[in-house]
Amino acid sequence: MDGPHDLGGKDGYGPIDVDAPPFREGWEARQWALSKNVPLPGGTIDWWRHAIENMDPVTYATQPYFVKWCLNEIAHRVDQGVFTLEEILSGTPATRQDPPAEPLDMDGTLARLRANNTDFRVEMDQPPAFAKGDTVRTLNTPSPGHTRLPAYARGHLGTVIAHHGGHLYADAGARGEHIGAHLYTVEFSAAELWGTDTPDTVCLDLWEPYLARA
Amino acid sequence: MTEYDAKKIGDLHRHLHSHMPSDPALRVKALESLAVEKGLVAQETIDTWVEMYAEKVGPKRGAKIVAQSWTDPAFRQRLLDDAGQAIKEFGYEGHATEHLKAVENTADTHNLVVCTLCSCYPFAVLGMSPIWYRSAAYRARAVKEPRAVLEEFGVTLGNDIKVRVWDSTAELRYLVIPERPAGTEGWDAERLAALVTRNAMIGTERDLQVT
């Protein structure tokens, strides 16, 4: 979707706050911890990202980063029936008291961090359509759903610089489908993307359905 | 179960944003309180996780990996071949590192990492990303005018150096291996690691200072 999240190459932004730390407020660090420690019964990482993309564009552009995470975590739990809207808005659970969760100590959280490591590879039956060194052209049509082909890279010529085998295809993952597609790194020149005369390039990791032989 | 309904989730977002208190701290507190009351997480776990990210997980991990790559050519090769596997030698795998890729700066190439579509970052090796990395300005500008962005970080590059920007669009994550500074011959990995900054591993710093 051409949502508010697709920021690459957009103009009008001012200077970068180069000295900004990872967290300025205590609630930001707590939201990070909540997102990594409150279990979510269903969904995929791609659906999680797509849900943020579907925020109202004004909300997306103006709310702090971890407020968007907070709203998204709540929306997912309401969507999946973990919370009701009434519970989150009143702050009071409607059902009887559930038994408290067992706390994790430092070793427990370190183990949970390591267990977060996720392998996205998928065994493919089809051989890859492209090989390192091939020139490819990206799709020039917007996707109605989730896609990881940014608008700035649509309809451009690039060179395949790596093939990574099959990886879970994000566009399908956002629909709850577990489908693999061949994944490539494609390098685009700054001249091709922006018409500039620097020697620079931009490399993107793109799935095979985004690409056509040039 | 979710129906993966984009309109429904968008409507939920609108409802929550207009009905919850506007103070961010109160919003996060509401989520935390309900999650704790429902027995989904213990408050102590949240405290410990925050402490872990502040004290045990951070750029020091990445710095150790980079320093090792400078002193141990066999490790450097393993890191360049498959960084996701190589960092397991340190036990540093975790959130978003299985498909980690190490990209090396050279005399004529400078690497810069961004995620224009969200904020992908190799958390388990670099800790939480700085706010600027997640900002709209950085995400919008890094791909289109990387040299102007680098100037704001104090890095000026001539046209004899190519900037390669890595936009993390899939589940690969990127770690920049800066060049080892001159004047550090004979240093061990621990001493070298102290020179490696977070920004150098994102690519918004190039020449490391020898202190």
Side-chain angles (χ1 to χ4, degrees):
Chain A
M1 66 181 288
D2 280 340
H5 65 288
D6 192 353
L7 290 167
K10 294 284 163 61
D11 293 323
Y13 289 94
I16 290 157
D17 185 6
V18 298
D19 295 319
F23 301 112
R24 281 214 174 93
E25 310 281 348
W27 58 264
E28 296 173 310
R30 291 197 86 72
Q31 179 56 53
W32 167 244
L34 286 163
S35 289
K36 292 291 146 209
N37 288 283
V38 182
L40 193 60
T44 61
I45 180 64
D46 308 301
W47 169 236
W48 196 93
R49 291 192 183 117
H50 193 43
I52 286 205
E53 296 165 7
N54 276 281
M55 279 188 175
D56 187 274
V58 174
T59 308
Y60 185 93
T62 53
Q63 285 300 303
Y65 181 77
F66 278 112
V67 168
K68 287 183 269 192
W69 276 46
C70 179
L71 290 171
N72 202 35
E73 296 294 357
I74 295 170
H76 276 271
R77 283 164 182 81
V78 174
D79 181 44
Q80 296 185 21
V82 180
F83 304 155
T84 64
L85 270 175
E86 294 68 31
E87 285 177 320
I88 194 70
L89 295 176
S90 70
T92 314
T95 52
R96 60 177 175 72
Q97 189 82 24
D98 294 289
E102 279 294 315
L104 290 183
D105 61 8
M106 187 58 78
D107 286 344
T109 53
L110 280 165
R112 178 169 284 177
L113 173 69
R114 289 183 71 181
N116 241 313
N117 191 60
T118 309
D119 192 336
F120 289 86
R121 275 172 285 223
V122 177
E123 202 64 50
M124 300 297 294
D125 295 330
Q126 295 291 322
F130 307 110
K132 195 172 161 178
D134 285 355
T135 302
V136 289
R137 183 179 290 282
T138 49
L139 290 184
N140 198 21
T141 43
S143 160
H146 182 62
T147 179
R148 298 294 286 182
L149 173 61
Y152 78 82
R154 286 201 300 243
H156 282 295
L157 288 172
T159 305
V160 174
I161 61 167
H163 169 235
H164 305 289
H167 272 230
L168 274 178
Y169 181 37
D171 303 40
R175 300 188 295 265
E177 298 163 13
H178 187 101
I179 295 172
H182 286 285
L183 182 69
Y184 306 89
T185 302
V186 182
E187 185 170 29
F188 300 86
S189 71
E192 168 72 16
L193 292 176
W194 320 111
T196 51
D197 61 359
T198 60
D200 307 333
T201 62
V202 183
C203 301
L204 294 90
D205 299 319
L206 302 174
W207 280 272
E208 199 165 279
Y210 301 163
L211 307 172
R213 190 169 295 281
Chain B
M1 267 306 287
T2 177
E3 297 121 50
Y4 299 94
D5 182 337
K7 184 180 177 307
K8 183 184 173 196
I9 206 91
D11 288 344
L12 269 173
H13 275 307
R14 260 179 286 273
H15 189 86
L16 289 166
H17 183 53
S18 56
H19 288 81
M20 289 190 80
S22 58
D23 181 348
L26 292 180
R27 291 181 170 196
V28 174
K29 187 73 202 160
L31 169 59
E32 179 170 340
S33 301
L34 199 54
V36 169
E37 293 251 1
K38 284 190 171 276
L40 299 171
V41 72
Q43 195 165 9
E44 296 89 328
T45 302
I46 301 302
D47 298 338
T48 310
W49 187 274
V50 170
E51 188 191 335
M52 175 184 77
Y53 257 86
E55 284 164 24
K56 296 197 185 289
V57 183
K60 276 186 183 164
R61 287 182 159 198
K64 213 167 152 181
I65 293 164
V66 168
Q68 188 71 24
S69 82
W70 289 340
T71 57
D72 179 349
F75 176 77
R76 187 180 185 92
Q77 196 56 53
R78 291 198 295 281
L79 188 68
L80 292 170
D81 290 345
D82 187 344
Q85 285 302 311
I87 63 163
K88 290 179 184 173
E89 296 173 29
F90 292 86
Y92 288 168
E93 73 274 20
H95 185 211
T97 64
E98 177 64 23
H99 306 292
L100 186 70
K101 186 168 168 54
V103 290
E104 49 181 348
N105 285 349
T106 63
D108 58 11
T109 304
H110 183 78
N111 295 284
L112 179 69
V113 181
V114 65
C115 171
T116 63
L117 293 173
C118 49
S119 52
C120 297
Y121 193 72
F123 299 100
V125 289
L126 293 185
M128 176 46 64
S129 57
I131 288 171
W132 58 258
Y133 181 87
R134 316 187 294 256
S135 71
Y138 183 73
R139 287 165 54 191
R141 297 177 54 207
V143 283
K144 191 172 187 176
E145 44 173 7
R147 286 168 190 264
V149 167
L150 287 168
E151 286 277 353
E152 285 173 30
F153 283 91
V155 178
T156 303
L157 298 178
N159 268 345
D160 55 329
I161 297 174
K162 163 183 166 175
V163 181
R164 221 177 196 186
V165 184
W166 300 86
D167 188 356
S168 318
T169 44
E171 294 300 338
L172 273 65
R173 298 290 172 269
Y174 291 91
L175 177 74
V176 177
I177 308 294
E179 287 183 283
R180 178 173 175 164
T184 60
E185 295 73 17
W187 289 29
D188 65 16
E190 193 182 338
R191 196 172 168 203
L192 287 166
L195 305 179
V196 184
T197 64
R198 178 198 64 206
N199 284 10
M201 293 182 279
I202 301 174
T204 52
E205 186 178 345
R206 180 166 170 88
D207 297 321
L208 294 172
Q209 300 302 307
V210 178
T211 49

